[in-house]
Amino acid sequence: KAGVTQTPRYLIKTRGQQVTLSCSPISGHRSVSWYQQTPGQGLQFLFEYFSETQRNKGNFPGRFSGRQFSNSRSEMNVSTLELGDSALYLCASRQGARYEQYFGPGTRLTVT
Amino acid sequence: SQQGEEDPQALSIQEGENATMNCSYKTSINNLQWYRQNSGRGLVHLILIRSNEREKHSGRLRVTLDTSKKSSSLLITASRAADTASYFCATDAFNTGNQFYFGTGTSLTVIP
């Protein structure tokens, strides 16, 4: 099976712009989670989607949003970008709650 | 916060030696997973251990779980230079909707 894929891999945006990141889970996985990783804060949970419904949400401002499509693919959107949003954004998928979670390679977002 | 903490934060060993890193967490869990991350890349799933299990093996990896002490350890035997990476533990629990919480990571350097 193909692994979790994320596009784009690298992105440079200007403060105030918005960005959309995409994630395709492993075939058959209905749960997709998003994480932000920065040197200062480590790995922070953003949200999880299961069967197109947001199941969990981390402690991030409303500028961070996501959605999941019927084919389980997911997108994450960040509006009004700030310099502090520069990070590695990781997507992960799993079959369900009691299963292993597998990560994609990440999208490196740089906000200037 | 349910976030775990790995100990030590950094570890440097010679090739061929064993490496042990520990993870402590704060509340009752459902599962605990260990991941490896090479610099700036996605996380690679290593092992999942459930709360009713005490030990699991996978190749050169051995994971133990002590729920009474709320701690886990990852042992890498006969280390190789390719094991150089950061290692993270992640826990999830039913009472938090199986959301994953990651520890702060152990940076392992294996010297050839």
Side-chain angles (χ1 to χ4, degrees):
Chain A
K1 280 186 180 178
V4 179
T5 59
Q6 292 186 245
T7 56
R9 293 292 310 279
Y10 301 91
L11 206 49
I12 300 175
K13 289 286 189 179
T14 303
R15 193 169 45 182
Q17 288 185 315
Q18 76 165 15
V19 66
T20 299
L21 312 182
S22 181
C23 171
S24 292
I26 291 171
S27 178
H29 287 193
R30 295 163 64 188
S31 167
V32 174
S33 296
W34 289 89
Y35 295 84
Q36 180 195 66
Q37 186 178 30
T38 60
Q41 298 298 317
L43 275 154
Q44 302 277 308
F45 171 78
L46 281 155
F47 27 67
E48 179 183 14
Y49 287 86
F50 185 86
S51 294
E52 302 179 66
T53 301
Q54 188 179 85
R55 188 158 66 174
N56 286 305
K57 189 177 190 303
N59 189 26
F60 277 81
R63 300 185 297 107
F64 292 82
S65 63
R67 61 178 175 168
Q68 187 180 33
F69 302 95
S70 58
N71 61 358
S72 293
R73 192 177 68 84
S74 177
E75 287 183 347
M76 189 192 95
N77 185 75
V78 187
S79 62
T80 320
L81 284 166
E82 301 177 359
L83 296 178
D85 297 333
S86 293
L88 180 67
Y89 289 88
L90 293 160
C91 166
S93 75
R94 55 178 168 170
Q95 285 181 282
R98 288 179 57 79
Y99 293 89
E100 294 86 349
Q101 186 172 225
Y102 295 93
F103 281 79
T107 294
R108 172 75 62 185
L109 172 65
T110 302
V111 182
T112 61
Chain B
S1 166
Q2 193 177 340
Q3 187 177 36
E5 287 193 11
E6 280 90 342
D7 171 61
Q9 284 190 322
L11 181 61
S12 184
I13 60 174
Q14 295 289 328
E15 200 166 34
E17 293 181 335
N18 295 342
T20 299
M21 51 205 88
N22 304 295
C23 166
S24 60
Y25 53 92
K26 296 180 180 178
T27 64
S28 296
I29 62 168
N30 182 30
N31 303 306
L32 185 145
Q33 305 191 37
W34 283 92
Y35 291 86
R36 182 186 76 231
Q37 185 179 36
N38 292 89
S39 180
R41 299 187 182 180
L43 279 72
V44 174
H45 183 269
L46 298 176
I47 287 184
L48 177 150
I49 186 165
R50 303 197 189 281
S51 58
N52 61 351
E53 297 175 315
R54 292 297 167 258
E55 188 170 313
K56 284 189 85 168
H57 296 252
S58 177
R60 294 184 295 112
L61 307 179
R62 181 173 78 99
V63 168
T64 61
L65 178 65
D66 187 336
T67 53
S68 66
K69 295 181 179 178
K70 293 186 171 58
S71 68
S72 173
S73 68
L74 170 65
L75 168 68
I76 304 174
T77 60
S79 63
R80 306 166 181 168
D83 294 328
T84 295
S86 292
Y87 291 82
F88 295 88
C89 68
T91 58
D92 71 290
F94 287 123
N95 63 356
T96 55
N98 295 109
Q99 173 181 323
F100 276 97
Y101 291 89
F102 278 83
T104 50
T106 291
S107 177
L108 173 66
T109 301
V110 181
I111 302 166

